[in-house]
Amino acid sequence: MVSAEPGPAWADDVKACCAAAYGTDAVALLLGTAYHPGGLALTRRLAGALSLAPGQRVLDVAAGPGATARLLALEHEVLVDGVDLGEHTVLSAREATVRAGLAERVAFRVGDAEQLPVTDAGYDALVCECALCTFPDKTVAAAEFARALRPGGRVGITDVTVAPEGLPAELAGITGWVACIADARPSADYEQLLVDAGLRPLRRERHDTAIARMVDEIEARIGMFEMTAPERLAAAGVDAEAVRGYLVAARRAVEAGTIGYTLLVAEKPAA
Ligand SMILES: C[S@@+](CC[C@H](N)C(=O)[O-])C[C@H]1O[C@@H](n2cnc3c(N)ncnc32)[C@H](O)[C@@H]1O
């Protein structure tokens, strides 16, 4: 239950609620490998803008099940540390990474994006996918990104955007997921957060259709499980009809331009 009034208790509740929501079997069933719109194709595009070189160190903030971290290690030969607030999520990410044979190059630990458990200037690059929108204190999180980066290092973000008038009312009743995206911002606001943290913007792109595709993919996954393994949906507590209703509302919001998805890259100026 999230506290009603904004404040420290509210912020802690939002974080805990969001981390718990993303650690559930239901989310794993509905979202599959990557917990963000655009999937690994968009992650590859983001990685391509980070000027990565083999052996460099990358921090994945709010790493979720770790698909992004493993992709970076495999395709760019970098060493990746993932941080996520969800204990169950971190355990799952570790297990998947051992199974992928990448445990010597990719590590995960529990931690808060607003208080990263890392030393200053220890990373050549930092990624944060579909998560800045969930952090109650985005200014502090952006300052943490800047602190973790070495001078000349780059931050790459993909995230949910919302029009200046905010989320449509029909999405406001969805607990869990919406508790997470309720504080999404327009793309320019995310960029300004990075600027205020001392980072220099390099790239800003719109990927709104990625959300529409994600909605289609979730719908397809529900249909597939209904046909092949309905007991898995039941065991995970997925109410397929309720989810379909949310998907209709989300699709409408994308079509109306109320929600979208953005990619941002910025650089910490060289000292
Ligand atoms: C939508 S998922 C994205 C996961 C991953 N970045 C991806 O794209 O697959 C959001 C993640 O943010 C994590 N999270 C939420 N608040 C956090 C916080 N304050 N610090 C660290 N992780 C957080 C959640 O536990 C969840 O795993």
Side-chain angles (χ1 to χ4, degrees):
M1 172 70 104
V2 175
S3 308
E5 296 297 325
W10 168 83
D12 285 347
D13 287 352
V14 167
K15 287 185 211 172
C17 176
C18 184
Y22 279 103
T24 59
D25 292 344
V27 167
L29 274 188
L30 295 177
L31 297 188
T33 320
Y35 284 15
H36 58 261
L40 296 181
L42 192 58
T43 299
R44 284 194 177 94
R45 182 168 180 83
L46 185 70
L50 295 177
S51 289
L52 298 174
Q56 285 191 330
R57 296 196 61 197
V58 180
L59 183 63
D60 184 356
V61 177
T68 293
R70 288 187 293 277
L71 179 147
L72 294 175
L74 266 177
E75 298 186 3
H76 292 270
E77 298 176 42
V78 290
L79 303 171
V80 188
D81 288 331
V83 170
D84 198 282
L85 199 56
E87 289 183 23
H88 182 259
T89 300
V90 166
L91 288 178
S92 307
R94 282 188 190 139
E95 284 167 12
T97 301
V98 169
R99 283 197 300 276
L102 288 168
E104 290 185 2
R105 290 150 62 188
V106 183
F108 297 93
R109 74 185 100 157
V110 175
D112 188 343
E114 295 173 14
Q115 209 176 343
L116 287 170
V118 301
T119 55
D120 295 358
Y123 292 91
D124 301 289
L126 182 151
V127 292
C128 183
E129 288 201 274
C130 202
L132 178 57
C133 69
T134 73
F135 306 153
D137 197 333
K138 296 173 182 25
T139 301
V140 168
E144 281 292 87
F145 295 175
R147 180 182 69 77
L149 281 175
R150 65 158 168 83
R154 291 187 179 185
V155 55
I157 291 170
T158 66
D159 220 320
V160 178
T161 59
V162 69
E165 59 271 24
L167 275 182
E170 61 181 346
L171 278 178
I174 308 170
T175 53
W177 186 60
V178 163
C180 295
I181 68 158
D183 196 32
R185 305 282 173 85
S187 181
D189 290 16
Y190 291 131
E191 189 173 86
Q192 190 59 46
L193 282 165
L194 300 178
V195 169
D196 293 345
L199 302 169
R200 188 169 65 88
L202 297 177
R203 186 184 286 208
R204 173 148 63 101
E205 298 174 353
R206 285 180 70 163
H207 290 274
D208 300 346
T209 52
I211 296 212
R213 280 200 308 277
M214 187 181 203
V215 165
D216 292 344
E217 283 160 16
I218 294 172
E219 203 159 38
R221 288 178 71 83
I222 292 176
M224 180 195 73
F225 280 116
E226 279 177 333
M227 288 205 332
T228 60
E231 70 286 356
R232 290 187 64 190
L233 288 177
V238 175
D239 177 343
E241 281 320 300
V243 175
R244 282 201 178 94
Y246 304 152
L247 295 177
V248 168
R251 197 177 275 125
R252 220 178 278 145
V254 177
E255 282 163 7
T258 323
I259 59 173
Y261 206 68
T262 192
L263 178 152
L264 296 162
V265 178
E267 186 174 58
K268 182 167 174 173

